[in-house]
Amino acid sequence: MLMIVFQELSIYLIIKSLLRNIFFVRLFDVIFLSVCMLMSYIFLAKLGISFSFLMLMMFIFFTWWYVRVLSGALCITFQVFIWSIMVDHICDILTRLMKVPNGYVVVFVILSVVSLIFLNIVMDRTNFSPTFSNQSLNRITALLLMIIYLYIMLSEGLEDQFQVILSNLIILSVVMGLVLVIYNEYLKNVRAKYEVQKQRIQIQNDTRYMNEIEAHYNELRRFRHDYQNMLISIDEYLKTDDLEGLQEYYQKNLAPVSNRVLKEKYNLEDLSRVKVKSIKSILFSKLSYAQSQEIEVHFDLKEPLIDITVNELDLDIALGIMLDNAIEASVGHADGEIMSAIFIEKNSTVFLIQNNVFEQLPPLWKLKEAGYSTKGKNRGIGLNSLSKIVNRNENMTLETRVLGAVFLQRLTVKRVSQND
C-alpha cells in the first residue's frame, strides 16, 4: 500500500511539473489525491493489476481538468505513466542485481526524486512542452502511447519475470528514443516555419514603415507649399498696412489650420528612442493609421529602448493585436483616444496601451475566448491569440483591466540577467 502511495504521489508531481504549476496547489489537487488514496485502500487488493487502469483513468481526468483538451491530457498522462513504468523496471532490475532485500521502495523513492528534479530543471531552462500545438499530432501520439502502455501492462500481467521486465525496459527505451528523435525533427520544422514567418512579418513591417514615411513626407511637402502661400498672403496685408484685414484673414484661415495641427500632434518624436526596428515599425504604422482615422493618439518614451529579452516576433504580434483592438474600439467615435507608452524599469520593460470604451463590455474571460467578439461573427481571435503568445513566453506577462470608461492593457517583459 505504501508503494502505491509513493507511485501516485510521484505521478502527480510529474504531471504538475509538465503543467508548469508544481508549486501551485489547489483544493482540487488535495481532494484528488485524497480520493486516489481512498480508492487504493478500497480496490487495490480486489482489482490487482487492473487497479492500474483505474488510476490511469483518474489521472487522465486530473490532467484534463487543467488542460481542458482531451488529446493533450491523454498525451501527458500516458507519457507520465510510461515513465513511471520505466522507473519501476529500473528499480526492479537494480534491486535484483544488488540483491538488496526490501530495497525496492528506497530505490524507487531515490530515482523518483532525481527524475523529478531533473525534469523541473529542464522545464525551467527550456521551452519544452509535453504536447504538440497540432491537435492531430497529439491524437496520434496519444494512440501510440496507449498501445505501448497496454502492451506492457498485458505482458506483465501474464508473466511477471525478470526477462519480461528487462525486455519491456529495452522496448521502452527504444520507443522513447524514437519519440525524442521525431520530436526533435518536429521542432526543427517548427523553427524553420517560424523563421520564414518572422522574415515575412519583418518585410511587411518594413514595407508598412516605408509607406508611412512616404505619406508623411508628402504631407510635409504639402504643408511647405501651403506655408509659402500663407506667407505671401500675409506679406500683401503688411505691405498695405491692412491690419484689420490681416486679423480677419488670420481668424478665418490660419487659426483653424493651427488648431488642426495642434490637435493632430502626437509625440511621434519619442519613437526615435525605440532602437528595435520591428517594434518601431509596428508602433509607427499603427499610430499613424490611428491618426489617419481621426483618433487622438499619444505616445511616450523617456529613455532609449535598446533591446528586448523576449521573442521579437511574438512581441511584434502581441503589440499589433493590442493596437489593432484599441484602434477598432476607438474608430468612428469623436472622442476616440489611444494612450500608449513604454516604461523601462530596472528589471522589466512595460508596454502600456489604453483606449476609451464606448460600449458595455462583457467579462474579460469572455473576451479571451476564441471566436468571441463584440463586433460580430468571424472576429475576436485577437485576445485569444494574445493570451496564447503571453502563455508561451515565461518572461512575458499581461495585465488587462477595464477602469470605468477606459480599457487598459499592460504588457510586461521581464529582463533576463546575464547570470541566468
Side-chain angles (χ1 to χ4, degrees):
M1 178 63 190
L2 181 62
M3 189 60 223
I4 294 298
V5 171
F6 283 142
Q7 288 180 336
E8 291 174 351
L9 186 59
S10 174
I11 292 172
Y12 163 80
L13 292 174
I14 293 176
I15 290 177
K16 291 283 285 185
S17 298
L18 292 175
L19 295 175
R20 296 184 183 272
N21 62 354
I22 186 173
F23 299 111
F24 186 64
V25 180
R26 296 181 176 180
L27 178 61
F28 173 74
D29 298 346
V30 177
I31 295 175
F32 176 80
L33 286 175
S34 300
V35 171
C36 283
M37 304 304 173
L38 181 61
M39 298 284 282
S40 301
Y41 178 79
I42 297 175
F43 296 107
L44 178 60
K46 297 180 181 179
L47 298 179
I49 193 171
S50 300
F51 179 76
S52 299
F53 295 102
L54 177 60
M55 284 295 101
L56 176 66
M57 295 298 105
M58 293 185 65
F59 275 101
I60 289 175
F61 171 75
F62 173 79
T63 310
W64 174 86
W65 181 268
Y66 278 100
V67 300
R68 297 291 171 156
V69 179
L70 181 58
S71 60
L74 291 172
C75 273
I76 294 174
T77 309
F78 277 121
Q79 288 177 61
V80 174
F81 266 71
I82 291 175
W83 175 256
S84 178
I85 292 173
M86 290 185 67
V87 172
D88 173 74
H89 285 7
I90 294 172
C91 291
D92 198 304
I93 292 173
L94 290 176
T95 304
R96 291 170 183 261
L97 293 177
M98 293 186 298
K99 298 180 180 179
V100 179
N102 302 322
Y104 178 87
V105 175
V106 176
V107 176
F108 179 85
V109 172
I110 294 174
L111 283 181
S112 297
V113 171
V114 171
S115 62
L116 186 63
I117 294 174
F118 175 77
L119 175 61
N120 279 276
I121 292 175
V122 171
M123 297 293 290
D124 184 59
R125 297 188 178 183
T126 67
N127 292 324
F128 172 78
S129 173
T131 59
F132 299 101
S133 57
N134 188 317
Q135 295 303 320
S136 296
L137 286 177
N138 283 334
R139 288 189 286 267
I140 294 172
T141 304
L143 178 61
L144 292 175
L145 292 174
M146 181 180 68
I147 293 173
I148 295 170
Y149 176 79
L150 291 176
Y151 163 76
I152 296 170
M153 297 303 297
L154 292 176
S155 64
E156 292 187 8
L158 295 173
E159 186 179 9
D160 187 11
Q161 297 179 353
F162 178 75
Q163 292 85 354
V164 175
I165 294 175
L166 183 59
S167 63
N168 284 344
L169 181 58
I170 294 174
I171 292 172
L172 279 175
S173 300
V174 173
V175 170
M176 292 302 292
L178 290 174
V179 169
L180 290 176
V181 170
I182 294 172
Y183 186 76
N184 185 58
E185 290 299 318
Y186 168 78
L187 288 180
K188 287 181 180 178
N189 291 333
V190 170
R191 291 192 191 101
K193 292 180 180 178
Y194 179 84
E195 289 299 324
V196 172
Q197 183 185 14
K198 181 178 180 180
Q199 292 176 5
R200 184 173 65 251
I201 292 180
Q202 184 63 48
I203 292 173
Q204 292 175 350
N205 290 339
D206 291 343
T207 302
R208 186 166 49 226
Y209 181 74
M210 294 303 299
N211 290 338
E212 292 295 339
I213 290 292
E214 183 180 359
H216 280 273
Y217 174 72
N218 292 331
E219 184 179 350
L220 182 61
R221 290 181 60 188
R222 287 193 297 271
F223 180 78
R224 179 184 177 185
H225 182 266
D226 294 342
Y227 179 73
Q228 289 176 336
N229 291 334
M230 286 187 290
L231 288 179
I232 292 173
S233 61
I234 291 173
D235 184 62
E236 289 298 323
Y237 281 106
L238 292 176
K239 284 181 180 179
T240 59
D241 291 328
D242 188 3
L243 297 180
E244 183 177 349
L246 177 60
Q247 183 178 12
E248 180 181 353
Y249 176 78
Y250 174 81
Q251 294 296 334
K252 184 178 179 180
N253 298 288
L254 300 185
V257 174
S258 177
N259 291 333
R260 179 173 58 83
V261 171
L262 290 175
K263 183 178 179 181
E264 289 183 352
K265 185 181 186 303
Y266 54 92
N267 293 327
L268 261 186
E269 61 267 21
D270 281 6
L271 281 175
S272 63
R273 299 189 179 100
V274 181
K275 305 303 181 182
V276 184
K277 292 183 180 180
S278 63
I279 303 300
K280 177 187 287 188
S281 175
I282 284 288
L283 293 172
F284 186 84
S285 61
K286 298 295 183 182
L287 294 178
S288 298
Y289 174 75
Q291 187 194 27
S292 70
Q293 299 300 308
E294 299 183 355
I295 301 172
E296 186 175 351
V297 182
H298 305 272
F299 177 76
D300 185 59
L301 175 60
K302 299 303 182 185
E303 55 184 291
L305 177 63
I306 306 298
D307 55 11
I308 55 173
T309 56
V310 74
N311 185 283
E312 190 172 328
L313 179 59
D314 280 350
L315 183 57
D316 292 343
I317 297 174
L319 290 175
I321 292 172
M322 293 165 65
L323 287 168
D324 284 340
N325 289 340
I327 293 171
E328 188 175 274
S330 304
V331 70
H333 298 281
D335 298 328
E337 182 179 8
I338 297 175
M339 304 285 292
S340 57
I342 300 177
F343 301 101
I344 300 178
E345 301 176 349
K346 182 178 180 180
N347 297 316
S348 62
T349 302
V350 179
F351 298 85
L352 189 69
I353 297 177
Q354 170 184 310
N355 61 273
N356 295 344
V357 176
F358 297 96
E359 58 185 16
Q360 184 67 34
L361 294 178
L364 291 177
W365 63 265
K366 187 70 175 177
L367 289 174
K368 295 179 181 179
E369 287 185 354
Y372 180 84
S373 174
T374 58
K375 302 298 182 181
K377 296 182 179 180
N378 300 321
R379 308 285 286 278
I381 62 172
L383 286 181
N384 181 265
S385 299
L386 180 59
S387 297
K388 291 181 179 178
I389 292 172
V390 173
N391 291 337
R392 70 174 177 241
N393 288 276
E394 294 182 359
N395 57 333
M396 184 187 291
T397 57
L398 177 67
E399 180 183 3
T400 303
R401 291 184 180 182
V402 178
L403 305 174
V406 173
F407 186 83
L408 174 67
Q409 289 195 295
R410 177 187 176 99
L411 184 64
T412 302
V413 176
K414 297 179 182 178
R415 286 208 183 91
V416 180
S417 64
Q418 297 297 328
N419 296 326
D420 288 350

